[in-house]
Amino acid sequence: MQEDYLKAGKIAAEVREMVRNKNWVGRTVYEICEEVEGEIKKLGARCAFPVNASINEVAAHYTAEPDDPTVIGETDLVKIDLGAQINGYIADTAVTVCYDTQFDVLVQAAEDALSNAMSMIKSGTKTRDIGRTIESTIKKMGCKPIANLSGHSLDRYTIHAGKTIPNIWSIGGFSLSEESAYACEPFVTTKDGGGFVRNGQTRNIFAINTRKKTKDAEADRLLDYIWENFNMLPFALRWLTDKWEEKEARKLLETLIKKKAVQAYPILIEAGGQRVAQAEHTFIPNEGGVTVTTKA
């Protein structure tokens, strides 16, 4: 288990650094997602979820539609969130790329908050203290944390395994367990932002809820295909179009959503319409400190 987490983390980190150092201006979101997912596979892992390429005020959960024509502009702030998995053990990491210096402070605040959080972690660390560190780092830089987005525990074939790591100080929480895997992901907006996200209308990332049959033979065939290829992990429509025509795949997905066999995740938009930056690592606490599996 630990070995697979480390392998996945090494691959995810390598791909994230490739993303960080590349100029994506003029490229489409479709090209970005396909290239990044291709790199993960080339290095020997599978994708833990569709690459997210969330632009400006969209904080998270946007992935490319098939042949998505959206082009990255010179002033866009793009969160590229990627996941690699080996035998279901996940590395989840993200970087914000931006080519307009006026938004550098947002990117830096996310990176500094993540770095400060990682430096205080060991088994037994309280999540509310991590939240306090993230919040104070971001506010000292004149920015705002996104209060209703958080990091999360990870489990085999499960991205969000039930426990949250807050980006603000909060009452309660829990103490980090030794040898458990977690993702920490500060999200930052401007001082004029609402400081929280709302659901958008677009929903283009999906995951299985149940394998219970729908009595629609073709929809059930798709459900079996999803389970065999992605297990409980999220997937995108573009991952289905080599087996089904796009129109047919959309129709079958709608059937599965209606029957509650599959859920669709909405994009998350900053409530004040302000830009958002993100940074993320996967880590495993231990007695002496922390193993950051996605460290470059």
Side-chain angles (χ1 to χ4, degrees), residues 149-160:
L149 285 177
S150 59
H152 45 91
S153 53
L154 294 159
D155 213 337
R156 195 175 184 201
Y157 290 111
T158 309
I159 293 274
H160 291 264

Side-chain angles (χ1 to χ4, degrees), residues 237-248:
L237 177 66
R238 32 189 189 85
W239 291 5
L240 307 176
T241 52
D242 58 339
K243 297 286 181 191
W244 283 267
E245 291 288 330
E246 185 187 328
K247 201 174 162 188
E248 175 71 358

